[in-house]
Amino acid sequence: MNSPLKIAVVALGKIGLPLAVQFAKKGHQVIGCDVNQMTVDLVNAGKEPFPGEAFLDTYLAEVVSQGLLRATTDTTAAVAQADAVVVVVPLFVDSDGVPDFGWMDDATAKIAAGLRPGTLVSYETTLPVGTTRNRFAPALESGSGLKAGTDFHLVFSPERVLTGRVFADLRKYPKLVGGINAESTHAGIEFYKSVLDFDDRPDLTEPNGVWDLLTSEASEMAKLAETTYRDVNIALANQFAIFAETANIDISKVIAASNSQPYSHIHQPGIAVGGHCIPIYPRFYLWNDPLATVVRAAREANAGMPAHAVGLLESALDGLVGKKVAVLGISYRGGVKESAFSGVFPTVAALKSAGAIVLVHDPMYSSEEITRLGFDEYVMGEEIAGVILQADHKEYKELSKLDFPGVRAVVDGRRSLDPTSFPDVAFRVIGAPY
C-alpha cells in the first residue's frame, strides 16, 4: 500500500470528514459519502460544514483544491471505485443506550452493493463486541455475493479522537486494528500505516503506531473498555465528592494528593457525563456483559449527578418553587457545540420537577437553536434567583455576581467559576465544603 489508494469514507460527520481529509493529506484519492446533500455541496466547495474542528477549514480547502477529496451522496458508486472503505456512520441509541442500527445497516447495504474483490472494509463507529463479525460480515456477504475474509477484508478499528482536536489525536494515540481473520487484520494494519502519522510516545509499552489487536472482537472491546473505565472512574470521583461535601473536605485537594502517588489516577467529579461516548459505551458493554455490576452501578451514579447539583441549589435557596434559575451551558463539555446526552437535559428536568422556572444560556447556540431544543433562553443580565453552571465554556470563567442581578445562590458543576467573584452569594461546588 505504498502507492496512492482510492478510499471511500462513509459519513462526513465530525469524525468522518477529518478522517477523509487526513487520508487525502497523505496523498490518497478520497471520496467522502454522505446522505446530506448540503454537506456534500459544502465539502466539494472546500468549506467545512460544521465549526470547531482545529485546522479543518484550512486542510479541507487544500485537499479539495488539489483534487484529492470530493464528496458524493452515491455511496455504492464510491465503494465500487475504492480499494478501502472506512465507515463512520452514527450509531443511534435510546436513553438506555440500546442501539438502533438503522443508519448503519442502510450504509452497509449500500457498501455491499458496490463491494469488489480485494477491498478492505473498516468499521470505526464504536460497536458492541461481536457486531463486526456477526452483523456486518453477513450483511456485506449477502449484498455483495462475496465472502468476508476471503474475497474482501473486514476489520474493526475504533475512532479514538475527540471532536475539536481530531488531527492531533490521530497522531497521539495508537490505531487499534482487529479483523475477522489474520488476512483481514494484516490488510487493515497496512492500510492505516499508509494513511496516518504518529507522534513519538516513549510512555507506551510498544512504539506508537498501528497496533495489532488480532481479532475484531478484541478491537471492539478495547474501545468499550477504555470508555467504560472513564465512566467508572468518574463515578468513583463523584461518590467521593458527595461524601466530601458532608465531611467538610475539599475533594479536589484529596484527588490531587492521591494522584501524586503513581498508582492512583482518580478523575474529576462533576455535574454530568455527556456526549456520544462515555454515557453510552458502558451500556454497550452491559449489553454484552449484563452481570457487570460495577459498570451498572457507575452508570447509575453518574446519571444521578444532575439531580445532586439541583439538590445543592434547592438547599441553598430554601426551595425552588416559583424561583427563576439559569442553567449555563447546553453543550456536554466546554468549547464544543454538541448537545448529545448533555447534562443540561436532566438538570433542567430536575429543576422543573422541583418547581423552578428554568432558563438556559449557551454562547455557542443562537436563540432559535435554544428554542428548538425546547428551552426558554436566559439573557445575561436578566434578574435571576439561582445559577447552575453545566458546561465549562471559556466565556463563563470571568462571570461574576454583577452578571446575574438578584442572584442568591450559584452551583458550579465544573469548578470553573471564581467563588470570590460572587460575594454574599451562597456558592456551592460539587465536592467542596460550604
Side-chain angles (χ1 to χ4, degrees), residues 80-433:
Q81 305 173 53
D83 303 303
V85 181
V86 176
V87 188
V88 208
V89 175
L91 175 55
F92 291 100
V93 296
D94 65 17
S95 59
D96 294 321
V98 177
D100 175 359
F101 288 101
W103 281 33
M104 292 200 73
D105 287 344
D106 182 63
T108 298
K110 292 176 180 177
I111 293 166
L115 200 56
R116 300 178 304 163
T119 304
L120 167 72
V121 180
S122 175
Y123 284 87
E124 292 211 9
T125 306
T126 304
L127 301 170
V129 174
T131 305
T132 303
R133 186 185 305 275
N134 299 325
R135 187 183 192 94
F136 295 136
L140 291 168
E141 290 176 340
S142 175
S144 68
L146 303 174
K147 180 67 176 176
T150 302
D151 299 321
F152 66 93
H153 304 297
L154 179 60
V155 303
F156 179 76
S157 180
E159 57 86 5
R160 308 179 74 203
V161 298
L162 276 179
T163 55
R165 63 183 205 200
V166 172
F167 294 106
D169 284 353
L170 285 172
R171 299 179 62 96
K172 186 175 183 179
Y173 304 121
K175 190 67 173 133
L176 312 180
V177 178
I180 62 166
N181 61 1
E183 292 78 11
S184 291
T185 301
H186 176 74
I189 289 171
E190 293 304 306
F191 167 72
Y192 281 109
K193 284 181 178 179
S194 75
V195 296
L196 298 175
D197 297 300
F198 297 93
D199 296 331
D200 184 38
R201 289 280 306 278
D203 58 307
L204 298 176
T205 57
E206 58 184 272
N208 195 10
V210 184
W211 285 15
D212 183 352
L213 270 285
L214 301 179
T215 68
S216 56
E217 289 82 3
S219 193
E220 289 164 337
M221 185 170 177
K223 179 57 183 285
L224 298 186
E226 67 185 39
T227 48
T228 298
Y229 162 79
R230 292 177 65 192
D231 198 44
V232 171
N233 194 315
I234 294 168
L236 181 63
N238 280 330
Q239 295 205 324
F240 286 159
I242 291 172
F243 170 75
E245 291 168 6
T246 69
N248 198 35
I249 295 170
D250 185 343
I251 197 61
S252 67
K253 294 185 178 299
V254 171
I255 290 174
S258 298
N259 289 351
S260 67
Q261 201 265 12
Y263 302 107
S264 180
H265 308 280
I266 304 170
H267 290 4
Q268 297 300 315
I271 186 173
V273 178
H276 291 283
C277 301
I278 303 179
I280 299 306
Y281 300 154
R283 298 289 190 188
F284 286 5
Y285 182 77
L286 286 167
W287 199 21
N288 290 126
D289 183 8
L291 299 181
T293 55
V294 171
V295 177
R296 191 178 306 279
R299 184 83 296 273
E300 292 171 356
N302 285 336
M305 289 308 292
H308 175 71
V310 170
L312 292 176
L313 186 69
E314 186 173 30
S315 175
L317 288 175
D318 295 321
L320 292 172
V321 176
K323 295 172 183 175
K324 282 189 176 182
V325 175
V327 178
L328 305 182
I330 290 174
S331 300
Y332 79 90
R333 67 180 172 93
V336 173
K337 188 178 180 180
E338 178 58 72
S339 63
F341 297 94
S342 170
V344 70
F345 298 106
T347 300
V348 169
L351 285 167
K352 288 183 175 179
S353 180
I357 301 167
V358 188
L359 305 172
V360 176
H361 178 275
D362 193 302
M364 302 191 78
Y365 289 77
S366 68
S367 298
E368 293 76 13
E369 289 170 327
I370 292 172
T371 300
R372 279 203 300 271
L373 286 167
F375 302 129
D376 294 320
E377 183 181 13
Y378 175 71
V379 178
M380 227 31 112
E382 184 177 349
E383 189 160 336
I384 205 80
V387 173
I388 295 180
L389 185 135
Q390 193 282 136
D392 52 346
H393 291 312
K394 63 181 181 181
E395 292 87 348
Y396 291 154
K397 293 186 183 298
E398 303 302 322
L399 292 176
S400 72
K401 178 181 177 180
L402 298 178
D403 296 297
F404 305 101
V407 68
R408 292 161 44 203
V410 171
V411 174
D412 183 354
R414 303 291 184 182
R415 285 187 181 257
S416 185
L417 301 173
D418 180 359
T420 64
S421 296
F422 294 86
D424 304 317
V425 173
F427 196 90
R428 304 287 186 262
V429 177
I430 291 174

